[in-house]
Structure formats: structure tokens, C-alpha cells
Amino acid sequence: MTHDLVAFPSDPDQILERIDALDPVRYASSRNYLTGAVSRLSPYISRGVISTRMVLERLLKKGYRPAQMEKFVQELCWRDYFQRVQQHFPGLHAASIRKEQSGSRNGVPIRLMEAHTGIHAIDAGVQELYATGYMHNHLRMYTAMLACNIANCHWRLPAQWMNYHLLDADVASNFCSWQWVAGDFSSKKYFANQENIDRYTGTRQPDSYLHVSYEDFPLSDIPESLHHTGIPALTTSLPEAAPLKLADALPIRLYTIYNLDPWWRKAEPANNILILEPSHFRQFPVSGKTMDFVLSLSKNIPGIQLYTQEFSELKKEAGDRAIIFKEHPLFRHFSGSMDQRDWIAGEVDQFVPGFFGYWKKVEKSILRYHGN
């Protein structure tokens, strides 16, 4: 069940090959199974190496029609949707979007962090997360359900714990998903019993505390293995950075942990800088494994230099050089010339309370430009 880190190469050609190898039709019928035809593109999308629009257009060029791959395109649009939500609710990592999870406990179940919850599929998934930085999307839902709706922990700290370990850690997608499972950004809490977990993960556990009917949720008592909670110690060690060497008369092209696009303005000479602000990582810490992944992806950008101070300091060093960056809700304090990201439907930028309301608008845009 585990995946070695080499499953996520940093070479751009290999990333494009991964897109070309996709079978979006098979994805629709098997995506919820651990052995299903999932894309494993999320680390590259979240890091801004590729965009959702780029993936869609590459599949369209292969001859797939939008209607054939609707489920896969919807999955891409979930990521766009959560990014749009974050534009309108920049504090979604700390505050509930729709309603507050009431009567909840603080912290993360200790046995969950130790991968000893007693639910075999979830424990194996946590072990894989620690080893590789990857967790299947369905397992993420099961894990969030266990923490929030079975152990009755508030979503905020467990979501931060998972965000820390994921290679594809994306604040909008991760925290919105945890809120959705906890019922704070959805009409009801998400539950899955052991029969459901066994079906999609291939485990067989008839004696677990989740081996109940859906009518028995929520459980009357928190299972013993989930009683005790703790506060995860999450810190990020930033790499050492040499003093900047800035070429005169060239702009600064600014990259972040969410924009590592090696094709962005590639033909235009610039001082390429990856900024890793200490204040950002105090608020949104990531693991050493994730930081190593980010640094390996950044090497695809010619002449990239690291900068590990705040943007305000970079502006002083930039002098009269222009600064170019891509829009992202977490970097609203950047100033200069801002490029928009490549959305599947860039014109659908208003807040829509639910995903499927957003999807209807995006679907019209897709059909308008790409047909059936």
C-alpha cells in the first residue's frame, strides 16, 4: 500500500508524462479505491508546477471530450473552487466558513498521530503519509472523519497536522476539506462505517468500533483509543540562503511554495527568486520532506535563488527593479506586477456557497469553449 518518494519525480518531462498517461474515463469508476486510477498530480498542482487548466487542455488535445471525463474535471474544479473560496475567506484555516463546530475538543488524537487508532486502513494511511508525504483522498476523508466526528476534535489542529505532512499541502484545499467533513462547510457531518472503509481500502475488520450501521452515528461514546489528545509540534526548518546576486536592469520574477511553474514567462530574462518567508511558515508549517520536494521542484527554474527573509526586506534589496509574481490569497502583501493564475474558468471568480453551484457555472464555460 505504501508508495516510495520516487513516485513523485521533480523532472518536468516526467510530470508531463504523468498527465499523458492518465485515463480520466477509468478514473471515474475507480477513484475511490486505494488501487484506483488516481492521477497523483496534486503535489504538482498545489505547488503551481502545472495548473488545472493545463491538465484539462492536455487531455482535450489527446481527444477526450469533456463529457467523457466529467468526474475527473470535477475533481480538478474542486481545487479551483477551494482557491476561490480562500480568495473570499482568507482566514478559512482558522475560522469556520459556514457554521462553527460546536462542543468539540481541542487537539489531535494521540493514537491517530501514532498511527494506532485501531482502524487498520487509517493507521496504514498515516504511516504512508509520514513515509512518503502522500495519502489517498478517500483515506483523508476517513482520517478527518475519525478525528472530528468520532473523536470529536475540532478540525483546526488535525487539519494543520495533515497539512504539515502532505507534499501537496494546500491551505485552501486541505482546510476546506476538513471543514466539509466536520460539517462546518457542508450541510451535515461526513461518516463512513467499517463496511465502507473495507470496501474501498481492501481491509477486513468486522470487530472494529466502526463496524456499526449508519443509524448508530454519531457514536454515543468516544472509542478508548481516541480519548487522549495532544498538540502536534510542527516546525519548519528553512534552508540556508546565500546573499542575493541581482543582475542590473532585469526584473525580479518571484516564486513561492505555491508557484514553481518552470514555464512561466520562461523566454523573458529575469532574476528568478524563490521566497520562503519565515512568517508564512510559522503560520503554515510544512515538514522537511515537503520542503525538500519544493526545493527539488525549484531547480527546474534556471538560475533560481533562495530568499528566506520577508517580502518587505526583498523590496528594499530590489531597489528600482520591477517585481513580478502570480496571484495567491496567502501572498496578498506582495506588491508589483501580478499575473493571474490559469484557472479552468477564470471568469467564474465570485463566491458560490456550494461546489455544485460553482460547477454549473464552470461547466457552461467548458462547453462554450470546448464543446461536448
Side-chain angles (χ1 to χ4, degrees):
M1 179 175 158
T2 57
H3 302 273
D4 192 83
L5 262 183
V6 297
F8 296 103
S10 57
D11 178 74
D13 290 336
Q14 290 181 278
I15 297 169
L16 295 180
E17 287 171 5
R18 180 163 293 195
I19 301 174
D20 293 339
L22 267 174
D23 184 344
V25 179
R26 183 167 169 253
Y27 170 88
S29 61
S30 66
R31 65 196 176 97
N32 285 333
Y33 294 87
L34 294 197
T35 56
V38 294
S39 70
R40 296 205 175 92
L41 290 175
S42 59
Y44 308 114
I45 296 174
S46 67
R47 299 287 149 243
V49 178
I50 57 178
S51 67
T52 53
R53 180 177 173 179
M54 178 183 179
V55 175
L56 173 61
E57 290 183 344
R58 202 165 178 98
L59 291 172
L60 288 167
K61 286 179 181 178
K62 288 186 66 179
Y64 290 109
R65 301 186 306 276
Q68 279 183 297
M69 50 180 180
E70 181 177 292
K71 284 295 183 184
F72 180 73
V73 177
Q74 282 184 346
E75 202 64 27
L76 293 175
C77 286
W78 270 104
R79 186 168 290 271
D80 277 8
Y81 173 62
F82 287 147
Q83 292 289 317
R84 289 301 193 192
V85 172
Q86 190 178 36
Q87 288 179 332
H88 294 273
F89 296 92
L92 57 75
H93 60 282
S96 297
I97 297 168
R98 184 179 293 179
K99 58 189 176 187
E100 186 62 39
Q101 186 181 347
S102 59
S104 55
R105 303 189 296 159
N106 192 37
V108 185
I110 292 174
R111 287 294 184 90
L112 175 60
M113 293 189 286
E114 293 174 344
H116 288 302
T117 67
I119 306 301
H120 299 334
I122 292 175
D123 292 341
V126 172
Q127 291 171 357
E128 180 179 23
L129 174 65
Y130 290 161
T132 70
Y134 171 78
M135 182 183 275
H136 188 283
N137 189 59
H138 216 164
L139 269 178
R140 299 184 198 195
M141 292 173 63
Y142 293 151
T143 302
M145 174 209 65
L146 198 75
C148 298
N149 303 336
I150 303 299
N152 198 31
C153 292
H154 194 280
W155 53 264
R156 193 179 297 111
L157 279 176
Q160 190 178 51
W161 161 75
M162 182 173 283
N163 196 77
Y164 178 82
H165 291 286
L166 288 168
L167 290 187
D168 66 8
D170 178 284
V171 169
S173 294
N174 182 67
F175 283 84
C176 280
S177 295
W178 277 79
Q179 288 202 39
W180 186 90
V181 169
D184 286 21
F185 191 35
S186 57
S187 59
K188 60 182 181 179
K189 295 182 178 183
Y190 168 79
F191 287 101
N193 64 11
Q194 190 65 50
E195 181 182 2
N196 181 289
I197 294 171
D198 286 347
R199 176 186 178 190
Y200 291 108
T201 66
T203 56
R204 292 292 179 269
Q205 225 184 321
D207 57 346
S208 89
Y209 50 80
L210 294 181
H211 193 68
V212 297
S213 67
Y214 282 100
E215 289 74 21
D216 292 326
F217 286 122
L219 300 180
S220 57
D221 297 308
I222 296 174
E224 184 178 350
S225 64
L226 304 178
H227 275 184
H228 300 293
T229 64
I231 308 298
L234 309 175
T235 58
T236 298
S237 297
L238 295 179
E240 291 187 13
L244 290 179
K245 296 180 179 179
L246 300 177
D248 293 335
L250 289 182
I252 290 174
R253 188 159 48 222
L254 198 57
Y255 296 82
T256 70
I257 190 172
Y258 292 122
N259 172 27
L260 296 169
D261 180 355
W263 299 282
W264 176 44
R265 292 178 176 250
K266 186 176 181 180
E268 304 171 20
N271 294 289
N272 293 329
I273 297 174
L274 169 60
I275 186 169
L276 303 172
E277 293 179 287
S279 61
H280 176 84
F281 293 99
R282 283 194 295 270
Q283 189 171 21
F284 305 109
V286 298
S287 70
K289 196 180 299 296
T290 298
M291 182 58 67
D292 288 344
F293 183 62
V294 166
L295 295 175
S296 68
L297 291 171
S298 74
K299 292 176 182 177
N300 296 318
I301 300 164
I304 193 79
Q305 299 183 68
L306 288 179
Y307 191 77
T308 56
Q309 299 181 58
E310 302 299 317
F311 178 78
S312 58
E313 295 301 313
L314 177 64
K315 279 202 72 174
K316 294 176 185 177
E317 295 196 43
D320 59 358
R321 297 176 182 84
I323 299 177
I324 308 164
F325 59 94
K326 278 192 182 184
E327 181 276 331
H328 193 281
L330 294 179
F331 302 105
R332 292 185 175 188
H333 57 291
F334 286 3
S335 60
S337 178
M338 183 176 72
D339 285 1
Q340 289 298 321
R341 286 177 286 166
D342 291 328
W343 307 87
I344 285 178
E347 68 274 21
V348 186
D349 59 356
Q350 66 272 42
F351 173 67
V352 182
F355 171 76
F356 286 101
Y358 174 81
W359 166 249
K360 288 179 181 178
K361 295 176 182 291
V362 172
E363 186 178 30
K364 288 180 182 177
S365 177
I366 292 172
L367 295 178
R368 186 182 309 124
Y369 293 108
H370 303 294
N372 296 320

